[in-house]
Amino acid sequence: MGTSEPRPAEGSQTLERGLRALRLIAGTPHGMTATELAAELGVHRSVAYRLLTSLVRQHFAVRDDEARYRVGADLVGLAEQVRPRLREVAEQVLRRLADGLEATACLVVRDDDAAVAVTVVEPATRGPRFSYRVGNRDPLDRGAAGIALLAGGPPTDGEPARVTEARQRGYALTAGEVVPGTFAVAAPIRTAHPDGPAGINLITHRQDIAEAAVAPVTAAAEEISARLA
């Protein structure tokens, strides 16, 4: 018998690339072209195009008239299956928060090293607003959402001082850490769910709104925590 070829690493490279592509699209509110996605993935444009075509066929992505790809309806449907009780309790509170402050309010949960938006509520007013999408991922180590999620957990050795401070204050307030020109205030939601704490993240282009939102956001997080308990 001849020598067998080395077995490839477990898993599917194509599937992993497709999932990475989906994350990149979800994290880009204005959408991505095949060329932009190829550059992010480090692959040829034809490979990126095939991945995008598959995502469109499965309704996880949609292609607009400018050949930009955005999150599709089926991805939103999948997101709705994430911690449904939490989402059910939070949605009405987020709506009240978004309309009252005229800013975008999100429910975020932790997924590995990212804060992921599982519910997004934009204000009903016609004024300017920050566009954010379900499935958007922000890093845990910067931005109000990630800091609030870390603060919602138990203290850890060597944790950043800003996480400790957010735990003591009950909220995190940041400016331009994830998206330049934006301000965010987030507060952790206490929950006994095995996946850990969740959080409310309010995002705006106006510093005065973010600063005024500290008390309403922390109160909203406490209300959701109490309802879940």
Side-chain angles (χ1 to χ4, degrees), residues 69-202:
Y69 294 82
R70 293 178 172 83
V71 167
D74 277 16
L75 180 62
V76 177
L78 282 179
E80 291 178 351
Q81 307 307 312
V82 177
R83 299 173 70 168
R85 172 60 180 161
L86 170 63
R87 294 182 61 260
E88 177 186 1
V89 170
E91 193 160 356
Q92 183 178 4
V93 179
L94 291 176
R95 169 54 62 193
R96 188 172 70 240
L97 197 65
D99 289 345
L101 294 168
E102 297 188 356
T104 300
C106 311
L107 175 67
V108 295
V109 298
R110 180 172 181 172
D111 179 29
D112 195 15
D113 60 351
V116 181
V118 294
T119 299
V120 177
V121 179
E122 294 187 352
T125 57
R126 295 183 178 180
R129 65 190 66 181
F130 181 80
S131 182
Y132 208 72
R133 291 183 178 274
V134 169
N136 194 87
R137 301 172 67 87
D138 289 339
L140 283 179
D141 61 350
R142 65 182 186 275
I147 296 169
L149 287 178
L150 292 174
T156 59
D157 292 338
E159 73 177 10
R162 63 197 314 208
V163 174
T164 305
E165 293 170 0
R167 185 180 296 109
Q168 294 170 346
R169 292 195 304 254
Y171 69 91
L173 178 64
T174 60
E177 290 193 6
V178 177
V179 179
T182 62
F183 302 86
V185 56
I189 297 170
R190 298 183 304 276
T191 168
H193 194 281
D195 287 345
I200 290 179
N201 188 32
L202 186 121

Side-chain angles (χ1 to χ4, degrees), residues 25 28-32 60-64 66 68-72 133:
I25 295 170
T28 311
H30 60 278
M32 301 184 77
F60 289 143
V62 293
R63 183 179 184 273
D64 64 20
E66 297 179 353
R68 303 191 73 84
Y69 294 82
R70 293 178 172 83
V71 167
R133 291 183 178 274

